[in-house]
Amino acid sequence: MTRPASATPYVLVLFYSRNGATREMAEQLAAGVESNAGIAARLRTVPPVSPTTEAVDPEIPAEGAVYATLDDLRHCHGLALGSPTRFGNMASPLKYFLDTTSELWMNGILADKPATAFTSTASLHGGQEATLLTMLIPLLHHGMVYAGVPYRETRLLTTQSGGTPYGTSHLAGAQADRPLDDDETALARAQGERLGRLALAMRSLHEAT
């Protein structure tokens, strides 16, 4: 049965950020997505994971992006996944959210949709590439089509900070106070532009299933 086409296709930019660096990257990717005519970016975050079984945070954050729902993921036409690195892996709040997506996985809802990932670290060799590669795994399990940053983006060859072919990265510094530099900003926008373009081109693949 064909699913009805969304009036306004969108890319879900889903991220977790403790100190703002990953959020800043998410905003640049979103700007890149929306540089394509005919597609929007939807910024969403996830709540921190409580060390106890009692929920302590409000359902709606006091500021910034609202928390993601499964419907945000269900109806997206592409996904950009962002997280700071935690020992070469994504942060637990984002992993926790992905662990709740079994229903979408069982029904192949995300299959044939494009996806990408981005990350931020305190140090230059703090696990950027390992984090991006581990973030790729659940996307492949969902049947998504991964899109990194191709080397036609020549800043990959000249950057002195973040930037990998697996996805954009950012060097936030030990105090998490280093802003995105020109290379990181340009690569994030290029990554978002590519994802938005692919989402439009691949729209018919999943809307016809």
Side-chain angles (χ1 to χ4, degrees):
M1 183 176 182
T2 302
R3 289 178 290 194
S6 172
T8 305
Y10 67 88
V11 166
L12 178 61
V13 183
L14 176 61
F15 67 95
Y16 175 71
S17 184
R18 276 292 294 272
N19 298 300
T22 312
R23 181 185 69 241
E24 187 179 356
M25 295 184 73
E27 291 167 351
Q28 294 299 331
L29 261 85
V33 169
E34 294 189 340
S35 68
N36 297 282
I39 193 163
R42 181 175 295 185
L43 281 164
R44 292 291 185 269
T45 189
V46 294
V49 174
S50 173
T52 69
T53 57
E54 180 181 0
V56 295
D57 283 342
E59 293 185 3
I60 300 175
E63 60 181 2
V66 301
Y67 295 140
T69 68
L70 288 184
D71 278 345
D72 289 321
L73 199 54
R74 184 190 313 275
H75 300 300
C76 75
H77 290 74
L79 172 64
L81 201 60
S83 173
T85 186
R86 294 291 184 267
F87 303 108
N89 210 326
M90 75 179 85
S92 56
L94 191 60
K95 176 66 164 57
Y96 179 84
F97 178 81
L98 293 176
D99 284 346
T100 70
T101 62
S102 294
E103 174 198 345
L104 305 183
W105 168 71
M106 291 177 66
N107 291 283
I109 299 300
L110 299 179
D112 297 329
K113 297 181 182 183
T116 199
F118 56 99
T119 190
S120 177
T121 60
S123 61
L124 185 58
H125 301 290
Q128 293 181 355
E129 293 184 349
T131 298
L132 292 167
L133 289 170
T134 56
M135 291 171 74
L136 165 62
I137 295 172
L139 303 178
L140 292 178
H141 274 265
H142 273 287
M144 304 193 83
V145 181
Y146 193 78
V149 182
Y151 270 95
R152 69 180 177 219
E153 303 300 332
T154 56
R155 287 176 184 262
L156 284 177
L157 296 168
T158 60
T159 178
Q160 298 295 305
S161 51
T164 85
Y166 312 112
T168 304
S169 58
H170 166 56
L171 172 61
Q175 304 303 318
D177 57 358
R178 180 182 178 275
L180 267 69
D181 64 24
D182 290 345
D183 287 332
E184 293 167 338
T185 298
L187 289 169
R189 289 206 174 205
Q191 186 177 11
E193 187 279 330
R194 185 185 190 212
L195 184 62
R197 180 162 38 84
L198 289 172
L200 286 170
M202 298 170 65
R203 186 178 180 184
S204 61
L205 290 177
H206 51 86
E207 288 189 344
T209 59

